[in-house]
Amino acid sequence: MRAVLLTGFGGPERLVYREDVPDPSAGAGEVRVRVGAAGMNNTDIWTRQGAYGSAEDPSSITGWRREPPRFPRIQGADVAGRIDQVGQGVPGARIGERVLIDPMLYQGGERDLVTTDYLGSERDGGFAELVTVPAELAHPVHSPLSDAELATFPTAYTTALRMLGRAGLAEGETVLVTGASGGVGSALVQLATARGARVVAVAGAGKHEPVRELGAEAVVDRAAPDLPAALAEALEGRQVEVVADVVAGPSFPALLGVLAPLGRYVVAGGIAGPLVQADLRTVYLRQLQLIGSSFGTHADFAGLLAYLEAGELRPLLAGSFPLRELAAAQEEFERKNFFGKLVVLPGEG
């Protein structure tokens, strides 16, 4: 089959397009999916770069579990397609079924999510013509959306659902969302709005109106020279119960500063810099909660499917690339000059 192999840590040059990769076969309890589309995520970039560090050395080169993944590896967690082969114990009637794949490969409870295998990291993923997964993770999907549109949802939206769930965002509360034009950020805006929350967002210039169209009541420019003042003006005296952050970096103190007493800060990314400084007196005197979150549970994925079946989410497909251009696609992803999600179409070579 055609596939792109990540051959080691480094730049886009470590992504090698090949047309002679052996076809995978569905094992017992598994299905094989012919990939219609596979979405891209920050995790793909950070895994290639080895950008996760370790508790002892933040600059060390590691995978997301803070250990090296096994190379070569086929990346691509967010997969939409059709089942074309089933393994032992899986009904043959599933062949031909259109599916969306839950990329979290854990079994057990919520605690197991922290050490889970992740499709495209610990197991070969969807930047290929074929991928195999446990049958229970390939969910039937009935939707008028294209495979490319469906592939924009899994990781970003389950990550956002878990963030909002861990922060306990309730109807009528105000949430501040950073990185609101990206995959997880735009998912947070849509999902928080669906929960009946009031959304104030932070986004780059030129992307404010699309964020408002998703439900944000106000949008602050991420490059504002005085971010605390810009946030205060946008909030118009309101207090923020929840900050949902995927950016971190130098803005971290300002984000803590807008939280109401007993407010909750939840973080699932650090694209502006994972190492931050803050005055812990702000945390304990205002009795704030700092909450870490990553990926989403199987229950979150079921929640995503329910939203999709109800037609309550808008796909934000910013662009697509043929498989052989994955390296160029990742370079475009890193430039962030788009709104929403980029996907790869293996059927286009």
Side-chain angles (χ1 to χ4, degrees):
M1 68 174 180
R2 293 178 297 183
V4 175
L5 303 182
L6 176 62
T7 58
F9 292 130
E13 73 280 355
R14 302 310 299 265
L15 296 165
V16 178
Y17 173 77
R18 287 177 49 181
E19 297 184 345
D20 60 350
V21 177
D23 291 355
S25 296
E30 296 181 345
V31 297
R32 187 175 73 180
V33 174
R34 184 162 293 277
V35 180
M40 296 176 57
N41 294 288
N42 274 314
T43 303
D44 299 321
I45 308 301
W46 280 38
T47 295
R48 169 171 57 74
Q49 295 172 339
Y52 287 95
S54 68
E56 297 76 23
D57 180 8
S59 66
S60 64
I61 298 175
T62 64
W64 82 268
R65 293 202 304 193
R66 296 188 153 181
E67 60 187 36
R70 182 176 298 175
F71 298 115
R73 175 64 70 211
I74 299 172
Q75 294 187 291
D78 294 354
V79 178
R82 290 190 181 272
I83 294 174
D84 79 341
Q85 184 186 85
V86 298
Q88 182 180 355
V90 181
R94 294 204 66 183
I95 292 177
E97 195 173 77
R98 191 179 188 215
V99 295
L100 189 63
I101 294 176
D102 180 349
M104 307 316 300
L105 304 172
Y106 72 96
Q107 294 181 335
E110 186 180 41
R111 189 178 295 271
D112 297 295
L113 178 67
V114 178
T115 56
T116 185
D117 287 351
Y118 177 56
L119 191 65
S121 179
E122 287 67 49
R123 178 176 179 138
D124 284 341
F127 294 153
E129 291 182 291
L130 299 165
V131 63
T132 61
V133 293
E136 66 272 15
L137 299 184
H139 293 263
V141 61
H142 307 285
S143 172
L145 298 178
S146 67
D147 284 348
E149 290 171 323
L150 287 172
T152 65
F153 288 107
T155 295
Y157 282 74
T158 56
T159 297
L161 279 167
R162 181 156 176 79
M163 290 178 73
L164 298 180
R166 282 183 55 74
L169 180 69
E171 182 178 0
E173 290 189 315
T174 298
V175 56
L176 176 65
V177 174
T178 67
S181 64
V184 177
S186 57
L188 284 164
V189 174
Q190 289 199 68
L191 292 166
T193 300
R195 286 186 176 215
R198 306 173 71 177
V199 179
V200 175
V202 180
K207 300 176 181 179
H208 293 192
E209 190 55 36
V211 174
R212 288 191 183 92
E213 291 174 359
L214 294 181
E217 294 187 10
V219 183
V220 174
D221 198 300
R222 70 181 183 192
D226 187 344
L227 184 60
L231 290 172
E233 181 179 357
L235 288 165
E236 298 179 331
R238 284 174 287 171
Q239 294 187 313
V240 172
E241 283 83 15
V242 173
V243 168
D245 187 20
V246 295
V247 174
S251 299
F252 181 69
L255 300 178
L256 290 188
V258 301
L259 276 171
L262 304 180
R264 293 95 72 195
Y265 167 92
V266 60
V267 60
I271 58 175
L275 302 182
V276 298
Q277 289 185 323
D279 186 341
L280 285 178
R281 291 168 294 189
T282 301
V283 176
Y284 67 74
L285 291 174
R286 297 180 70 80
Q287 300 192 38
L288 306 180
Q289 294 183 51
L290 305 185
I291 304 165
S293 188
S294 62
F295 300 120
T297 64
H298 297 322
D300 292 322
F301 194 85
L304 167 62
L305 292 176
Y307 277 113
L308 290 176
E309 293 286 346
E312 295 181 9
L313 296 176
R314 173 182 158 192
L316 301 173
L317 178 60
S320 62
F321 292 78
L323 181 63
R324 68 169 63 247
E325 294 181 13
L326 177 59
Q330 287 198 1
E331 290 180 304
E332 177 65 18
F333 187 98
E334 290 184 80
R335 283 190 283 270
K336 301 295 183 184
N337 295 324
F338 59 93
F339 183 89
K341 297 280 288 183
L342 301 177
V343 304
V344 170
L345 305 176
E348 296 187 3

